[in-house]
Amino acid sequence: MLTLLFACATVQLPEPNEAMAAATPGITVEELTKGRDLLRVRCGNCHTPPHPRQARTPAWSATFTDMTRRARLTPEEARRIEAYMLAGSAMP
Ligand code: HEC
């Protein structure tokens, strides 16, 4: 519970690493880092950016499509953020 409260101030978004990159064929740690940075900046405007584990929930795909519009992401930005979320969601 305490973790949740603190999460509002500072979200612990997983640091991209080789294991995370390996979860998505063809993606590099650098690209995942760009995705993480975009997530912080573009999705953190309105609310705390979601932790990648959110990408495991059934509603994720529809929510993400909705949020890419709200954040006015370019297709490229959306692709990077989604890659980070999906790679992060595959981590234990
Ligand atoms: C313009 C403001 C705005 C931006 C930018 C934004 N969101 Fe949201 N987000 C909201 C609001 C408001 C809600 C509350 C639920 C609703 O209104 O649908 C929400 C809810 C959510 C939820 C929870 C949905 C649920 O039903 O539990 C997730 C996950 C989410 N946003 C992810 C993101 C991601 C990822 C991004 C960046 C691509 C993003 N949001 C950018 C306004 C925003």
Side-chain angles (χ1 to χ4, degrees):
M1 192 60 213
L2 214 54
T3 322
L4 272 178
L5 289 174
F6 279 118
C8 294
T10 43
V11 209
Q12 290 303 313
L13 293 174
E15 186 70 26
N17 56 31
E18 291 297 339
M20 220 170 127
T24 317
I27 198 125
T28 64
V29 173
E30 288 71 31
E31 283 172 310
L32 290 176
T33 304
K34 280 180 193 154
R36 197 260 327 261
D37 294 348
L38 282 166
L39 174 72
R40 273 204 186 120
V41 177
R42 304 300 301 276
C43 309
N45 274 339
C46 299
H47 51 66
T48 307
H51 189 278
R53 73 173 73 90
Q54 281 262 343
R56 284 189 215 146
T57 62
W60 166 252
S61 184
T63 301
F64 186 68
T65 304
D66 178 17
M67 293 298 150
T68 58
R69 290 201 198 99
R70 292 202 207 190
R72 297 172 193 280
L73 300 183
T74 65
E76 179 68 11
E77 289 170 330
R79 199 186 58 76
R80 287 187 189 284
I81 293 176
E82 192 171 29
Y84 170 74
M85 292 293 292
L86 293 177
S89 77
M91 293 294 99

